[in-house]
Amino acid sequence: MPEEIYFQILKHDVKSQETKLLFEILSEQISIFTTKDIDWMESEKYSNLEMEKYYFKRSILRKTETIQSRLKQVVEILNSNDKYKDYQYLIPDFEFNATRSQKIYEIQINNRH
């Protein structure tokens, strides 16, 4: 879960390789939710990676109803902290995609350190 990545970030020195890697993992999670839908009439135009991300996105949205909300909150917290400014370019902004299967969920991350 995104908040678990956040807790791992808090455990490491800001300038560590681990911190950078954790930001890259968050970036990959975001890339799943920003993957464009497949136009099946032109499916040959998509790479295998694009197809896999699309299928994974559909699957994860069906199985985890709060994942986008959790990810969005972690991104906002990290982007608002100047301590992580050197890594903020790795986690692009994304919009919460409200679907019937996705719900807003307030995570409690300020209690664990």
Side-chain angles (χ1 to χ4, degrees):
M1 291 303 213
E3 60 269 31
E4 294 301 323
I5 296 171
Y6 177 76
F7 297 139
Q8 289 297 314
I9 288 171
L10 294 178
K11 291 179 182 181
H12 295 285
D13 181 74
V14 173
K15 300 290 185 188
S16 72
Q17 191 62 28
E18 289 85 358
T19 299
K20 182 178 182 195
L21 181 60
L22 289 162
F23 272 81
E24 290 171 350
I25 291 169
L26 281 174
S27 178
E28 279 302 309
Q29 284 187 347
I30 293 167
S31 78
I32 292 167
F33 297 108
T34 58
T35 297
K36 294 179 181 174
D37 288 341
I38 301 292
D39 177 356
W40 294 108
M41 298 301 283
E42 299 180 350
S43 61
E44 68 279 351
K45 292 184 178 181
Y46 300 95
S47 70
N48 287 339
L49 179 60
E50 289 170 317
M51 298 286 272
E52 284 182 39
K53 280 188 171 184
Y54 171 75
Y55 286 129
F56 188 66
K57 173 181 151 181
R58 286 186 54 189
S59 176
I60 201 165
L61 287 175
R62 287 184 179 143
K63 293 178 181 179
T64 58
E65 63 185 20
T66 63
I67 188 74
Q68 276 191 95
S69 176
R70 292 167 182 245
L71 184 57
K72 184 74 172 158
Q73 289 172 72
V74 167
V75 166
E76 288 171 353
I77 290 167
L78 291 169
N79 279 338
S80 69
N81 190 335
D82 285 342
K83 178 178 173 181
Y84 299 110
K85 68 180 181 223
D86 290 343
Y87 305 110
Q88 290 170 348
Y89 75 96
L90 292 170
I91 49 174
D93 287 333
F94 74 102
E95 295 299 318
F96 177 80
N97 184 7
T99 65
R100 61 186 162 94
S101 65
Q102 289 295 295
K103 298 177 179 146
I104 303 284
Y105 175 79
E106 291 295 323
I107 56 176
Q108 302 297 320
I109 62 172
N110 293 331
N111 299 346
R112 285 177 52 184
H113 287 259

